[in-house]
Structure formats: C-alpha cells, structure tokens
Amino acid sequence: MSLNTNNKIVQIADSVHKYISIPDKFYLKLIDTTEFQRLRRLGQLGGVPISYPSATHSRFAHSLGAFHIANRMITSLKNKHPDVVSEEDVDYVRIASLIHDIGHGPFSHMFEDIFTKFCKNEKNVKKFKPFQKHENITEQIVLSDESEVGKILNDKGFNKRKIAHLIIGKEIEGKPFLNQIIASQLDGDSIDYLMRDSLETGVSYGLYNIDRLIAMLNISKDGNIIVKEKGLQSVEQIVVARYMQFARVYFHKTVRCWEFMVKTFIYELIRSKEKGTDIALLPFLENFIDNPYWKTMLPLTDDTIYTQIQLSALKEEKNKVLEDLAKRLLRRKLFKSIPITEETANKLLKNREVIDKIIENIESLYNVDSSSGVYRQIITTTRGNTREFRIRVMSKDGTEKQLMEYIYPERVKGVKFLFLNNKN
C-alpha cells in the first residue's frame, strides 16, 4: 500500500520547525482521531514545569514534530537511495512516527514507572504489565479494530502489524534503517524533543543544525543508517544536548521530587482501591483500575490526575497519605531534597525493606533518588532502551565504527538525593 502524495499539502505552524507539512489528507485523518487528539491533554515533560514554568508543551505538538523530522529523514534518504527506499517505506515511517506516542498515560513516562513498581509483585503482573511501556499500549491501539486509528489503517489497507513492529522496536527484516528513524541514537523522536524541550524550558542545550545533520545521513550496504565522518560535529551536538538536558532539566532535584510525590499519590490510589478501601475516587480512574486496558486508559490525562488531586485534598478522609500528598502537591509544598553521598545512598537502598517498615509506622514517606548510573545509558542510547538501534559512522577511509566509539564522555557524574517528608 502506498499513498498518493499529490494532494494539497497542509502546513501547521510550529514554534520549533516554523511549519510542519502534512503531505496527504490521510495523515490529517489520523491526527483527528480521538486517540491522537487526546495527546493535547498530555504534557510532554511530566514534572518539569514545576521548575521550568514555560515547559507546558504537549505530546500532541511533539508527535507532530517527530513526524516532521522522520519525514525529512526518510525523504532525504529516498532521494539519495531511490533503489533502496520505496514509497511504501516512506508511508510506514511517517505513520509510525506520527502515532508513536498515543499509548502514553498521564504524565507520560511517570505513568510507566508506577506500573513497573506494581509489577514487582507477581500477582499484579498479568493485570498491569502492558502499562510498563507506552509502546505496548500504542501497539494495542494500532492493532485493534475498535480504535479510530486502527479503523483508518484498515480502510487504507496498511499492514498494521508492520507499523506496530516499528513502534515497539521490532526490526523490519532487511531494512533496519526504518527502525533507526523511529528509535535509535539519532531518531526523529529524540531530535524533536531535544529541540522542543530546549526551546520551551528556556535553556540552550538543544540548539543544533538539523539541516546539516540530515544531509550527513546515508544508508550502508547492509541497510543501516550511517553518518559521514564530517557530520560528527552535528551528531556530537545532539549527544551533548541529551546529556545536558537530562542532567540539568529532566533530573533537576525539584522535578524529581515532585514526580516522586505524584507517582506515590497515584500508586497509593490504585493500591487502596485494589485493597477495597473506600476512598474518594473519580469514575474514570475507578474504571481503569478495575479493568485496565487501552480503552479505559484513554479518558486518563494530566487533567484527570489534577482533578483527582483536588478531590483527594478536599474529600479524602480515610487515607491520610493521599490527603497529605494531595494538599502538598496543590500548594507546591514538596519534600525536602537532601544531597547525600553515593555511599550513604547505597546503604539506604541496601536496607530499604527495614527502613520502609520504620517509615510506614510513623506515617511518613521517603525516597532515594539516584541518577548517576543513568547518565551513561542516556548518552549511549536515546532513553537507555535496549530495543533502540545504534548508529554507525563512515570514516573517510571507508571503515565503519559505532557512533559511541567517536563520542563518549569518559567521566559522567550523577547526583543523589534523599527526598524526605518533613512534618513542618
């Protein structure tokens, strides 16, 4: 299946890319679905706005941006390698990049963390496992014949399984460059979010020459994306931007503390409902907890959680942890963030079970936040995800090396904090 792209191009104004071109009405149909429009109500950066107030951009804007970059990448590669890249390849990359985030829950990756914690208990795995990765929920939506996205893909005759494979990181045999545009060290997703997050937070780390970068991309003989050696400077800017964004923005101590409190709040809501405790709970959340799957998740957005926080602050009587967290979050009365040494952090983590029992008895909360071990993964892959595909560099003499053999900060320092519920 290949689209006829001779239709009138629609252009969407964008703060990062100036204008995003939509090459066919088919993509506008996907954008207008319930599943995609919901992304307007999901913030791109979770708790970052608590420290960077202007960073209120949505997953909707980012998804359009990721589509724009991926489209530029695949179009450029098709022009350079018309015998390798087909029109169908272009369509599949466009579709996958556009809808790759429709499976996100409230506050994006924070929602995944909650269910990763739940699934440490084996009895919860069957019920909540898919929600540990938003790509799994996106896959469910794409493959479903009940979703609006699924129906549109059916009507046009696209191979939904192939689209799902691109999104979840399953390699498309014979054409790994397709996967690399969707999820790699140098994909459309990360290129857009680094630029967009940099602009919206007001920092300058994500400013780089995207035109130069795309011009330096080629396809190797075995079907992988390869960067010309003279384009290394452009690539290095992205690696440095990624490191600086995580170190200074995403892992800001106040951001991490706020996210810990919100995740604890949602975790306690679900845990209390699962235990049968009578708590003040919104119907949307109750439906999701009772029967968690993509359909019951769709009504859950950042707004839903904020409304629940307001409800718990006003109406919660039986769960003091929920009430206290809700009131603190509304007033931005966060836990104390105490810098600690790596040795102290390791001791706290080693004795966590004992400390948890002590803390629970005095009706308090704490968390040890350790980010030093994450930075090296961040600069090695886009999100430390083993499903992502690595990029190679072609030197002037024709030899190839992994990207990180050229670029790899030897000393990556992290920070550790103890978040403690102060009673003041």
Side-chain angles (χ1 to χ4, degrees):
M1 174 66 201
S2 181
L3 294 173
N4 177 5
T5 56
N6 293 325
N7 295 333
K8 183 179 178 180
I9 293 176
V10 174
Q11 290 194 316
I12 300 174
D14 181 69
S15 60
V16 178
H17 307 296
K18 306 306 179 186
Y19 287 97
I20 294 173
S21 297
I22 308 298
D24 192 278
K25 289 183 180 179
F26 166 79
Y27 300 106
L28 290 178
K29 289 183 179 180
L30 288 176
I31 292 169
D32 287 340
T33 60
T34 299
E35 295 88 10
F36 196 89
Q37 289 294 316
R38 170 180 171 270
L39 297 180
R40 293 181 183 273
R41 302 185 297 283
L42 295 182
Q44 171 72 6
L45 290 182
V48 169
I50 204 71
S51 290
Y52 297 86
S54 62
T56 55
H57 53 298
S58 67
R59 285 271 157 191
F60 183 90
H62 161 64
S63 294
L64 293 176
F67 166 84
H68 176 71
I69 296 296
N71 185 28
R72 290 189 62 184
M73 292 173 74
I74 191 66
T75 301
S76 174
L77 291 173
K78 185 177 187 336
N79 290 337
K80 296 172 185 174
H81 306 275
D83 55 331
V84 176
V85 184
S86 68
E87 287 291 347
E88 187 176 88
D89 292 335
V90 174
D91 291 334
Y92 277 95
V93 165
R94 286 171 174 171
I95 293 168
S97 62
L98 181 65
I99 64 175
H100 75 284
D101 269 352
I102 58 175
H104 266 297
F107 301 113
S108 301
H109 294 291
M110 288 171 58
F111 202 64
E112 298 169 318
D113 294 342
I114 294 163
F115 295 102
T116 298
K117 183 177 179 180
F118 261 110
C119 289
K120 288 181 180 178
N121 186 330
E122 289 187 9
K123 71 176 183 179
N124 293 323
V125 171
K126 184 177 180 180
K127 187 173 185 180
F128 293 121
K129 184 178 180 180
F131 295 93
Q132 294 181 85
K133 293 288 183 183
H134 72 276
E135 294 93 344
N136 296 332
I137 305 304
T138 302
E139 178 187 24
Q140 291 178 11
I141 295 171
V142 168
L143 296 179
S144 174
D145 293 330
E146 298 180 24
S147 68
E148 291 180 29
V149 165
K151 290 176 182 177
I152 289 172
L153 295 175
N154 280 338
D155 290 344
K156 278 291 183 178
F158 281 104
N159 182 337
K160 296 198 296 185
R161 181 66 62 181
K162 182 176 178 179
I163 294 168
H165 282 176
L166 281 171
I167 291 170
I168 65 174
K170 188 169 183 179
E171 186 171 348
I172 304 300
E173 187 175 353
K175 293 191 174 183
F177 64 87
L178 298 178
N179 298 92
Q180 291 162 348
I181 295 174
I182 303 301
S184 71
Q185 296 165 322
L186 208 63
D187 57 29
D189 177 35
S190 58
I191 290 172
D192 178 78
Y193 82 66
L194 288 170
M195 296 177 73
R196 191 171 301 277
D197 296 353
S198 178
L199 175 69
E200 300 296 350
T201 54
V203 302
S204 58
Y205 308 128
L207 305 178
Y208 41 82
N209 190 337
I210 185 64
D211 296 327
R212 172 71 173 173
L213 175 65
I214 292 176
M216 293 296 103
L217 301 181
N218 271 309
I219 298 176
S220 65
K221 292 180 180 179
D222 57 356
N224 287 277
I225 289 180
I226 194 162
V227 182
K228 294 179 182 178
E229 189 176 23
K230 63 181 180 179
L232 269 177
Q233 187 176 17
S234 299
V235 177
E236 187 175 26
Q237 288 177 320
I238 293 180
V239 175
V240 172
R242 180 178 297 135
Y243 171 74
M244 295 303 294
Q245 284 284 111
F246 273 87
R248 300 290 182 263
V249 178
Y250 310 142
F251 283 173
H252 188 288
K253 67 175 183 178
T254 305
V255 171
R256 299 282 283 184
C257 185
W258 186 90
E259 290 183 347
F260 162 68
M261 292 174 67
V262 172
K263 287 187 287 189
T264 302
F265 176 81
I266 299 172
Y267 178 86
E268 185 63 26
L269 274 177
I270 298 173
R271 192 173 74 94
S272 296
K273 178 65 171 65
E274 290 280 273
K275 289 169 61 178
T277 307
D278 184 18
I279 57 173
L281 191 62
L282 292 173
F284 289 145
L285 278 163
E286 187 170 5
N287 291 341
F288 172 77
I289 296 168
D290 288 340
N291 185 22
Y293 77 120
W294 71 264
K295 265 192 175 182
T296 57
M297 191 197 73
L298 286 186
L300 305 187
T301 62
D302 295 4
D303 294 339
T304 311
I305 303 301
Y306 281 124
T307 303
Q308 178 63 55
I309 290 171
Q310 190 79 268
L311 177 65
S312 295
L314 293 173
K315 299 290 186 180
E316 189 55 61
E317 297 176 349
K318 297 185 178 181
N319 189 315
K320 294 302 178 184
V321 172
L322 284 175
E323 182 187 25
D324 179 61
L325 282 170
K327 288 180 177 179
R328 283 175 171 274
L329 288 166
L330 289 177
R331 300 169 187 168
R332 200 184 182 272
K333 190 178 179 182
L334 306 183
F335 292 0
K336 293 293 184 182
S337 298
I338 306 170
I340 55 177
T341 65
E342 186 166 348
E343 182 182 0
T344 302
N346 290 336
K347 286 180 180 178
L348 288 170
L349 292 170
K350 185 177 180 180
N351 298 287
R352 186 144 204 168
E353 288 186 18
V354 175
I355 298 172
D356 283 348
K357 290 179 181 178
I358 296 171
I359 291 290
E360 188 175 344
N361 289 335
I362 61 176
E363 295 184 345
S364 189
L365 290 167
Y366 83 104
N367 186 53
V368 178
D369 186 61
S370 175
S371 56
S372 59
V374 183
Y375 289 137
R376 194 170 292 274
Q377 286 183 311
I378 289 165
I379 60 175
T380 304
T381 61
T382 306
R383 291 180 297 275
N385 189 333
T386 55
R387 292 185 301 184
E388 293 175 340
F389 300 86
R390 299 191 174 191
I391 299 295
R392 292 181 294 186
V393 176
M394 172 72 78
S395 64
K396 294 177 182 179
D397 63 6
T399 58
E400 298 179 9
K401 291 183 179 180
Q402 289 289 338
L403 175 61
M404 284 307 158
E405 292 183 57
Y406 284 91
I407 307 169
Y408 201 105
E410 290 300 322
R411 297 183 65 188
V412 182
K413 294 182 179 179
V415 292
K416 295 177 184 290
F417 286 95
L418 173 65
F419 300 144
L420 186 63
N421 178 4
N422 59 309
K423 290 293 185 177
N424 299 328

